[in-house]
Amino acid sequence: MRHRTGSGDEILPTSNRHPNGGTERRKHGFGAKIADFAKQFGLDWATILIIGIIALMIDKYVPDVGGKARYFRLLPGESTSPQMEAFGHPYRKQIITFWASAGLNVGIPALFISVLEICTRGNFIVFARGMLGAVNSVIMCCFVQIIIKTLVGGYRPSWFEICKPQPDGPGVGYDGTWYKWTICTGDQEKINWALESFPSGHVATSFAAGVFLSLYVNAKLKIFSDYRVNPIIMVLFLTPLTLAVLMGGAISADMSHHWYDIIGGAILGTFIAFLTFRSFYVSIFDPRTNHIGLEPSRRFQRGPEFDYGEYESRYGFPVFSYNYRKS
């Protein structure tokens, strides 16, 4: 038998239950659970939804300041210039659309968190906190990357095919070969899309969801802990990260982004995932406390006595019990 110490109201994934769990649960009906959910998370969900709406409005209505301020070089008859090598790729529809990516970034965490809560005997409030953190990570990342796209941007690999440039005179620069987007004759909606290369929003939000979910799996199953875990648990931990990397592969395959757009999106999403997880839970890697949820209006207090729940490791799987003691 192994013990892990912690503190707070939720010491292990089952600690939100009381020693007389059955009796306590019968006292709280469905209506009380909804009221508790609204009290704890209602304002957070409302704020996140507002931030998401603002992000969509910026993406739709704010001009691409960074992309439209850039120049590209046009050398008629030249197909081997560095500019053509970078921006002369054929245009392809995205393998994974924006809305498909959004659905995966929410649906996959919902599936994982639901299964983990069922398997570790959690409850609705613990599930709600996990989902709130996952959605918060995705929407915050979406908000930041849209602002960067708008103010920085850049040309996508298929820029020339989408732009269809038709200069009506010499350009600017030393040799008069540098032009802005205003000489484009292609579809305006596609041109606006092609000006928003950096960073990759698909990759950024996928890493925001995937890294947060992997940290959640670690907190629930104690992978970085004091026993050797079963390989199946390692697969659970690595699956969200693998899916995020595959998103980068899909974006690279359909030529929607350059390699540096993908790397930049991955770094941004990873940073926001760590930031979000730490803002929702007491710690990131400390197995004693990284499953303990933080409250919005009450500081976490580590008392002089530590509550801890018993568990044992069977074939590398943590098995949690309902027994509690004081040490």
Side-chain angles (χ1 to χ4, degrees):
M1 185 76 69
R2 302 171 186 228
H3 303 292
R4 181 170 287 108
T5 57
S7 63
D9 296 331
E10 299 172 353
I11 302 311
L12 287 173
T14 59
S15 64
N16 44 1
R17 303 199 176 201
H18 296 269
N20 57 340
T23 304
E24 192 68 27
R25 287 194 300 276
R26 285 193 294 269
K27 294 179 180 179
H28 295 83
F30 181 75
K33 291 180 180 180
I34 295 299
D36 191 23
F37 168 80
K39 179 180 179 181
Q40 290 196 44
F41 307 117
L43 180 61
D44 296 272
W45 277 108
T47 305
I48 290 174
L49 290 176
I50 291 173
I51 293 174
I53 293 172
I54 292 173
L56 292 176
M57 294 299 100
I58 292 175
D59 184 53
K60 185 174 181 61
Y61 296 110
V62 177
D64 302 303
V65 178
K68 291 184 176 180
R70 294 174 179 269
Y71 287 90
F72 63 92
R73 197 177 190 190
L74 185 62
L75 298 173
E78 293 284 344
S79 60
T80 58
S81 66
Q83 291 276 321
M84 192 61 69
E85 292 279 345
F87 309 127
H89 294 269
Y91 168 72
R92 295 178 58 186
K93 289 185 177 180
Q94 290 184 311
I95 297 173
I96 301 177
T97 64
F98 170 81
W99 291 111
S101 174
L104 291 172
N105 290 335
V106 175
I108 292 176
L111 175 63
F112 267 72
I113 294 173
S114 299
V115 172
L116 283 172
E117 288 308 318
I118 293 173
C119 293
T120 58
R121 303 171 181 177
N123 69 7
F124 177 70
I125 293 299
V126 179
F127 166 81
R129 180 183 291 110
M131 278 305 303
L132 178 64
V135 174
N136 185 87
S137 182
V138 172
I139 291 185
M140 282 295 183
C141 186
C142 184
F143 178 75
V144 173
Q145 64 90 13
I146 283 176
I147 292 177
I148 296 175
K149 278 180 178 291
T150 302
L151 299 180
V152 179
Y155 301 122
R156 294 183 187 267
S158 55
W159 166 250
F160 280 116
E161 182 174 341
I162 293 174
C163 173
K164 297 180 174 58
Q166 294 292 335
D168 54 2
V172 297
Y174 175 73
D175 54 0
T177 58
W178 293 87
Y179 298 87
K180 283 189 174 182
W181 69 277
T182 51
I183 67 169
C184 296
T185 61
D187 180 78
Q188 187 59 51
E189 185 175 348
K190 287 185 178 179
I191 290 172
N192 292 336
W193 175 81
L195 290 168
E196 299 177 333
S197 186
F198 183 85
S200 170
H202 281 62
V203 175
T205 52
S206 294
F207 269 82
V211 173
F212 181 93
L213 186 54
S214 289
L215 294 175
Y216 187 88
V217 171
N218 170 59
K220 297 295 289 187
L221 301 182
K222 308 303 180 186
I223 297 170
F224 300 116
S225 186
D226 55 359
Y227 69 93
R228 180 170 58 84
V229 300
N230 190 282
I232 294 177
I233 294 182
M234 291 300 298
V235 170
L236 291 175
F237 175 79
L238 293 173
T239 296
L241 301 178
T242 303
L243 294 175
V245 173
L246 289 177
M247 178 66 76
I251 290 299
S252 176
D254 62 26
M255 300 180 185
S256 295
H257 286 282
H258 305 280
W259 66 267
Y260 47 83
D261 302 330
I262 295 172
I263 297 298
I267 293 173
L268 175 63
T270 300
F271 172 76
I272 290 181
F274 272 85
L275 178 66
T276 304
F277 190 89
R278 183 58 185 84
S279 71
F280 275 77
Y281 296 92
V282 173
S283 64
I284 295 177
F285 290 113
D286 188 344
R288 299 170 301 174
T289 57
N290 59 0
H291 58 277
I292 302 176
L294 293 170
E295 300 295 333
S297 58
R298 184 177 61 185
R299 294 181 61 186
F300 173 73
Q301 299 291 334
R302 186 184 297 272
E305 294 182 333
F306 295 103
D307 292 335
Y308 66 91
E310 294 183 352
Y311 78 95
E312 57 183 325
S313 174
R314 297 178 184 172
Y315 306 106
F317 292 95
V319 181
F320 301 99
S321 73
Y322 293 117
N323 299 323
Y324 292 85
R325 292 183 298 179
K326 292 275 188 176
S327 61

